Amino acid sequence: MKRKSILTGAVLLSIIYSFAVVGTIVLGAASVIYFFVGQNVQIINDLFLPLISPFLIYGKIWMLVFIVLTIIASIFMLVLSTRFMKYSGIGKELFQKKKSMMIFYLICLILAMGGYAYWLINNILSFGFNSNLVVNVLLTVILILHILSFILFAFGIGKEVNPIILQETEKELSVVKTERRPAIYTAGLDETVEEKKPEENVKEVKTVKHLEESVSSKKLVESIGKLDQMRKEGAISAQEYTKLRSQLIRKFIK
């Protein structure tokens, strides 16, 4: 199955970080050239200094360290986007198993958004938005695309919660309905059974039916309790909780 929201967000991120990986590698090559011959060759100094000047705050050595870390981060985010592409088409059971990994990726995406937001705000507060217009516009576009991707990922992951919960609770109820009579009611069947009066047979049937309904009702209450807990934790909304609870009650009545 295809999860279009997750796939769309992954495509947006992959486009951004495909360019980012290429750009950071070019920036890394420029920094290495500048490190060795930048001060001796004026044309190299004029060409590369505007690109790498933000990384020269703490000196040339730290410039190389920062650029290497930037390249690694860009590659990691590209891999993250391809992972989400893969997760958009896997089955429900495997998707559920990968949920913890996807949450980790979402945290990394939030950290990336925080970094871009800090960079943009620092530029605006220090020099003004128009002082470095191209960079600030680019950061704004990248930040907006990251936020959009995050919303699409969160929506796609959250959308999978309801069908999974409903499937599990339905399974529990179906198991209850197909349970056989407890052993206490089948004990002694191999022995000679005395004939019972019709009134006694009706009474025993009512007792067994009442027991089965009690167990089934207990399962239903437990299932509704799970939905209520998820509503309190914010995993599902109040409207989704009401809808799922009504579905469970209808299935129980059937």
Side-chain angles (χ1 to χ4, degrees):
M1 60 178 298
K2 286 292 183 181
R3 300 169 181 86
K4 294 182 179 180
S5 58
I6 296 179
L7 181 60
T8 303
V11 170
L12 291 177
L13 279 186
S14 63
I15 293 174
I16 294 172
Y17 285 101
S18 295
F19 288 107
V21 169
V22 175
T24 52
I25 291 175
V26 172
L27 185 64
S31 64
V32 171
I33 295 173
Y34 180 83
F35 181 83
F36 289 104
V37 298
Q39 294 179 343
N40 299 326
V41 181
Q42 186 62 34
I43 188 173
I44 293 178
N45 185 73
D46 295 337
L47 288 175
F48 294 158
L49 185 59
L51 295 175
I52 62 178
S53 57
F55 300 94
L56 283 171
I57 299 176
Y58 300 103
K60 290 185 177 182
I61 300 296
W62 282 107
M63 171 194 69
L64 296 177
V65 174
F66 290 149
I67 291 178
V68 169
L69 292 177
T70 303
I71 294 173
I72 294 173
S74 299
I75 294 174
F76 174 77
M77 293 300 293
L78 180 60
V79 172
L80 182 150
S81 63
T82 58
R83 292 292 89 189
F84 273 112
M85 280 186 180
K86 180 179 179 180
Y87 296 154
S88 66
I90 61 178
K92 289 185 177 181
E93 293 184 1
L94 185 57
F95 188 87
Q96 185 72 3
K97 293 179 181 179
K98 296 292 184 179
K99 185 178 292 184
S100 58
M101 182 61 68
M102 284 185 282
I103 293 174
F104 169 73
Y105 287 154
L106 286 179
I107 294 173
C108 294
L109 186 58
I110 292 173
L111 294 177
M113 289 190 294
Y116 290 121
Y118 173 79
W119 190 356
L120 178 61
I121 292 172
N122 184 63
N123 285 349
I124 295 174
L125 294 179
S126 300
F127 311 104
F129 188 84
N130 295 328
S131 62
N132 200 348
L133 186 61
V134 176
V135 174
N136 290 336
V137 170
L138 185 61
L139 286 174
T140 303
V141 173
I142 291 175
L143 185 60
I144 292 173
L145 291 177
H146 274 70
I147 295 173
L148 180 60
S149 297
F150 177 82
I151 294 173
L152 291 172
F153 290 151
F155 175 77
I157 294 173
K159 191 177 180 181
E160 290 293 322
V161 174
N162 294 345
I164 292 173
I165 296 174
L166 186 59
Q167 184 179 4
E168 291 179 352
T169 51
E170 288 178 357
K171 185 177 180 181
E172 290 179 359
L173 290 177
S174 64
V175 170
V176 172
K177 290 181 180 180
T178 56
E179 281 181 348
R180 294 183 178 180
R181 186 180 298 179
I184 186 172
Y185 292 101
T186 58
L189 290 179
D190 295 335
E191 300 176 359
T192 304
V193 181
E194 297 180 357
E195 293 184 0
K196 296 182 180 180
K197 297 179 180 179
E199 295 81 2
E200 294 178 352
N201 291 332
V202 172
K203 184 177 180 181
E204 182 178 353
V205 169
K206 289 183 178 179
T207 303
V208 174
K209 184 177 181 181
H210 175 72
L211 178 60
E212 291 178 349
E213 290 179 350
S214 299
V215 175
S216 181
S217 300
K218 183 179 179 181
K219 292 290 185 179
L220 178 63
V221 171
E222 291 176 354
S223 300
I224 293 177
K226 291 180 181 179
L227 293 177
D228 187 59
Q229 183 65 27
M230 297 199 67
R231 178 181 60 83
K232 292 178 180 179
E233 293 175 353
I236 57 177
S237 63
Q239 292 81 3
E240 291 174 324
Y241 165 77
T242 303
K243 180 180 178 181
L244 291 173
R245 185 182 63 180
S246 300
Q247 293 177 4
L248 289 175
I249 293 174
R250 286 198 300 268
K251 289 184 176 294
F252 168 71
I253 292 175
K254 291 178 181 181

